[in-house]
């Protein structure tokens, strides 16, 4: 049965329930909270009526959400993961970061950002022992009018060649993340690891949801950036590695934007490095990422 098949009497009974909830919200003192709760009520009730949700399905939904909450602890945020795979995170990013001239586009933060990453000097190595192929990353932070942003603060983080972030290992090791300050011309440079595709955590309820919908848990290979400067909109973004893995891995959290895809240029073993770092017989890659910050409030 579909919503449209309900008799006029049945539709009126259902509308009366929605109206009763909406009336109960009229006393909400905070006007914004009232707007959000009224809209949530309308959409949730419309969903129930549209799908003609059965009581058994309602129970399964409650059990799923309960299991999602029970999976959460200080290191694991299953609700954020749920928001990610439903595209809710990416839609929230899109709503709150409107396009602004040539400003670099934003994408999801993800669950692996950690406050207090080590300070890395310009030209330093964020790997700090994490395994992977070395990657030279450089670029410049500018305003939308093209002027450099001296002293912009950058936080960068990524997984290692095993597809794991430091926080996914036992112990307190910090690796493959760091904080840098751009120079007086807005330029930055550092060593990182060539990003690899990896699965989001999928051993919990969100993984079960992906399996039930025949979806892959893989994320396209990427390097995370969080860039801040006074008077500019904070930018949370990634760069994605152009190529085969981007096409085949897909992206379980809908985070890829064309404008964020970059060529990571492969360098054969023995190719001189930009800072004369000795890499012996190891291959490495290099990528340029120029960042444009929107003005605050744009
Ligand atoms: C990440 O890129 O780190 C990430 C984003 C969303 C869900 C899981 C991981
Ligand atoms: Fe990531």
């Amino acid at each position: 049965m579909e919503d449209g098949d309900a008799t006029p009497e049945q539709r009126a009974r259902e509308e009366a329930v929605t109206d009763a909830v909406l009336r109960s919200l009229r006393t909400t003192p905070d006007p914004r909270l009232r707007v959000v709760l009224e809209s949530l009520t309308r959409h949730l009730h419309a969903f129930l009526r549209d799908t003609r949700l059965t009581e058994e399905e309602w129970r399964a939904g409650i059990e799923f959400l309960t299991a999602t909450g029970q999976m959460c602890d200080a290191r694991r945020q299953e609700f954020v993961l749920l928001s990610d795979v439903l595209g809710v995170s990416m839609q929230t990013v899109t709503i709150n970061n409107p396009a602004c001239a040539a400003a670099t586009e934003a994408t999801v933060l993800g669950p692996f950002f950690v406050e207090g990453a080590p300070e890395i000097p310009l030209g330093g190595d964020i790997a700090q022992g994490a395994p992977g192929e070395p990657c030279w990353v450089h670029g410049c932070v500018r305003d939308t009018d093209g002027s450099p942003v001296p002293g912009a603060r950058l936080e960068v983080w990524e997984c290692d060649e095993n597809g794991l972030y430091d926080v996914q290992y036992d112990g307190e090791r910090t690796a493959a993340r760091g904080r840098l300050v751009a120079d007086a011309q807005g330029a930055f440079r550092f060593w990182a690891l060539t990003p690899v595709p990896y699965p989001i955590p999928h051993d919990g309820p969100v993984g079960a949801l992906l399996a039930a919908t025949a979806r892959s848990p893989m994320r396209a290979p990427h390097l995370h950036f969080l860039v801040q400067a006074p008077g500019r909109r904070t930018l949370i973004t990634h760069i994605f590695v152009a190529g085969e893995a981007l096409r085949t891995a897909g992206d379980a959290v809908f985070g890829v934007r064309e404008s964020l895809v970059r060529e990571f240029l492969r360098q054969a073993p023995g190719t001189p490095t930009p800072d004369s770092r000795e890499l012996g017989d190891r291959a490495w890659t290099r990528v340029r990422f120029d960042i444009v910050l929107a003005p605050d409030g744009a």
Side-chain angles (χ1 to χ4, degrees), residues 81 84 108-112 165 198 200-201 219 222 224 238 253:
L81 219 49
D84 293 338
V108 290
L109 175 67
F112 300 125
Y165 286 79
Y198 68 88
I200 65 168
R219 287 223 64 201
H222 60 269
H224 294 259
H238 324 335
V253 304

